[in-house]
Amino acid sequence: MKKKQSQKMSDSREWMEEVKKHLSSLDPNYLLMRAEVAGFLRISLQTLYRRCKKGLIKFVKAERNVRFRAQAVLTYIEVHQGG
């Protein structure tokens, strides 16, 4: 059981490193859609919504649409996910 859990944590770290690398390659002001951010963070849209509501991840409103700056997502990862 421990080996499986250890592998899962390793995979998660590798995934987060890839996400950070991808986000770092983007313009800091590049706007990401909700589904993209939820996918990067491996969370549901509802969880993303709750974290936005709590002020944990910054977003911008473009008319009626919610978007996330690449830099804001990267900052969230570094602060809240031990990045």
Side-chain angles (χ1 to χ4, degrees):
M1 183 71 129
K2 287 185 178 183
K3 188 174 185 178
K4 197 174 199 180
Q5 187 177 19
S6 177
Q7 179 66 32
K8 192 174 184 179
M9 287 181 64
S10 177
D11 291 346
S12 181
R13 278 192 220 111
E14 289 174 16
W15 169 259
M16 207 45 65
E17 287 303 315
E18 286 296 317
V19 168
K20 288 180 359 183
K21 184 178 174 183
H22 175 70
L23 291 172
S24 296
S25 71
L26 299 173
D27 180 317
N29 291 316
Y30 182 80
L31 297 176
L32 299 159
M33 294 185 297
R34 291 178 301 169
E36 289 176 298
V37 175
F40 285 147
L41 300 177
R42 291 184 169 179
I43 59 175
S44 70
L45 288 172
Q46 185 65 35
T47 299
L48 180 61
Y49 172 76
R50 284 193 303 267
R51 291 180 186 178
C52 289
K53 193 172 180 180
K54 289 180 181 180
L56 298 177
I57 183 168
K58 295 184 181 194
F59 62 92
V60 294
K61 296 259 316 195
E63 296 183 19
R64 294 176 55 178
N65 301 307
V66 173
R67 298 288 186 258
F68 300 84
R69 286 192 171 94
Q71 185 59 47
V73 177
L74 195 54
T75 300
Y76 173 83
I77 291 170
E78 291 170 354
V79 171
H80 297 283
Q81 297 197 340

